[in-house]
Amino acid sequence: MFDQLAAIDARPPLYATTTTPELWSDPHISGKMLDAHLDPHLDLSSYRTEYLERAVSWMIDRFGIGTGRRVADFGCGPGLWTTRLARTGADVTGLDLSTRSLDHAGALAEAEGLSIRYLRRNYLTYREATRYDLVIMIMRDYCTLPPDGRAAVLATVRRHLRTGGSFVFDSAAAFTDVREQAAYAPSLMDGFWSDGPYFGFHHTFRYERERVSLDKFDIVEAHRRRVFFNWVRYFTPDELAAELTAAGFTDVRVLGDLAGAPYDSRAPHFTAVAHEPPSEGR
């Protein structure tokens, strides 16, 4: 028992493994995550409705979204953003790993008579001929990726942006707010991790030099033990701009949020806007 608890308590190597696909493929967990997405009063899995409405309005005005424009939402979830963008008449595509979320998004589009294309795809490996005027990635998804994952998604975005097209996403910034901690509870997080009885261990680790945090959840059930990893890379605006520029983007700008507010260095996150440069043959 001591050795098992010691293993649970041990700090994993940086980016030892990722478990994002498992979160979205597990029937119980994906249902709980969808519930969080759809709660208009939570910022857990999606933003609150009031902020979402302001952000979409800013995107429509800033990028001229409407008929004749193409938009993609990488990690679209249940369609909260794609639905609002499609109401403008734009040609909208949503990508996500969760069948449950995509089913909800499709039903929402059908109820409103909107023609939105939903694809169950991994945006790291997504490939087709379609090019977009705007690609968005919401809820700081970019920061949850390891370095090779971030490089892959930037390459995917550039591959699918039209010349002069824009990439908009939000980034975590408040690494100083992260505290190392450990917690234990039966049915940790009110049954989030399983519909049966379990014991849950939650550890938060800081990786100082890399400005990365890890929330590790060890879920012990009668017949199995599962471990889930939530990595977050915290960027400064200069770090993020350098990463985007190195990947070939131009005119990188930093804003305070997805609704176009000015940058505030005290805020826990910020928004980046980057552009696909002109290129011969495109």
Side-chain angles (χ1 to χ4, degrees):
M1 177 66 73
F2 181 88
D3 290 343
Q4 292 173 313
L5 291 174
I8 288 173
D9 193 55
R11 177 188 303 269
L14 182 64
Y15 294 122
T17 187
T18 57
T19 55
T20 301
E22 288 85 344
L23 291 175
W24 292 109
S25 61
D26 181 276
H28 176 80
I29 297 173
S30 64
K32 290 290 188 179
M33 294 183 75
L34 178 59
D35 290 344
H37 267 298
L38 298 177
D39 190 326
H41 306 296
L42 291 179
D43 285 324
L44 180 62
S45 296
S46 193
Y47 289 114
R48 300 187 186 204
T49 301
E50 181 274 332
Y51 174 66
L52 193 159
E53 296 285 2
R54 286 194 295 111
V56 170
S57 179
W58 175 78
M59 289 179 187
I60 291 169
D61 292 342
R62 171 64 178 80
F63 301 104
I65 303 304
T67 302
R69 306 286 277 179
R70 286 182 174 173
V71 181
D73 183 351
F74 282 17
C76 65
L80 301 179
W81 298 76
T82 46
T83 298
R84 288 166 170 80
L85 291 166
R87 289 171 185 160
T88 67
D91 183 346
V92 178
T93 296
L95 279 69
D96 206 276
L97 291 173
S98 171
T99 300
R100 190 187 294 267
S101 291
L102 291 175
D103 286 346
H104 180 93
L108 188 62
E110 184 177 359
E112 292 200 26
L114 298 171
S115 179
I116 303 175
R117 187 173 63 129
Y118 286 113
L119 305 174
R120 188 178 180 277
R121 302 280 184 85
N122 186 333
Y123 50 59
L124 300 182
T125 56
Y126 166 59
R127 296 289 185 272
E128 63 174 8
T130 307
R131 295 196 184 278
Y132 302 98
D133 298 286
L134 174 66
V135 174
I136 64 173
M137 179 181 285
I138 307 302
M139 286 305 296
R140 302 176 291 283
D141 268 21
Y142 186 80
C143 300
T144 68
L145 301 169
D148 59 346
R150 298 197 303 270
V153 79
L154 292 180
T156 298
V157 171
R158 289 204 61 204
R159 184 186 184 101
H160 292 90
L161 276 180
R162 289 176 174 170
T163 295
S166 304
F167 178 38
V168 178
F169 64 101
D170 48 353
S171 170
F175 186 57
T176 55
D177 293 344
V178 177
R179 298 288 181 268
E180 292 205 337
Q181 60 184 345
Y184 155 77
S187 297
L188 181 75
M189 297 171 59
D190 298 322
F192 178 89
W193 298 102
S194 177
D195 57 1
Y198 66 88
F199 300 101
F201 301 82
H202 175 198
H203 287 78
T204 301
F205 299 101
R206 288 171 57 97
Y207 297 78
E208 300 292 339
R209 184 169 63 86
E210 300 85 359
R211 289 173 52 83
V212 171
S213 71
L214 168 64
D215 284 292
K216 183 170 76 80
F217 299 91
D218 289 79
I219 308 303
V220 181
E221 299 171 84
H223 60 292
R224 61 179 175 175
R225 174 194 166 198
R226 295 178 293 164
V227 186
F228 297 95
F229 295 80
N230 182 31
W231 302 96
V232 178
R233 167 70 160 96
Y234 297 80
F235 286 93
T236 67
D238 287 345
E239 288 172 337
L240 193 57
E243 192 158 291
L244 290 164
T245 301
F249 288 93
T250 59
D251 192 21
V252 178
R253 301 187 180 185
V254 170
L255 301 171
D257 61 21
L258 290 162
Y263 171 69
D264 182 351
S265 61
R266 299 165 298 178
H269 46 82
F270 61 90
T271 292
V273 180
H275 298 87
E276 173 64 20
S279 176
E280 296 205 5
R282 294 195 62 176

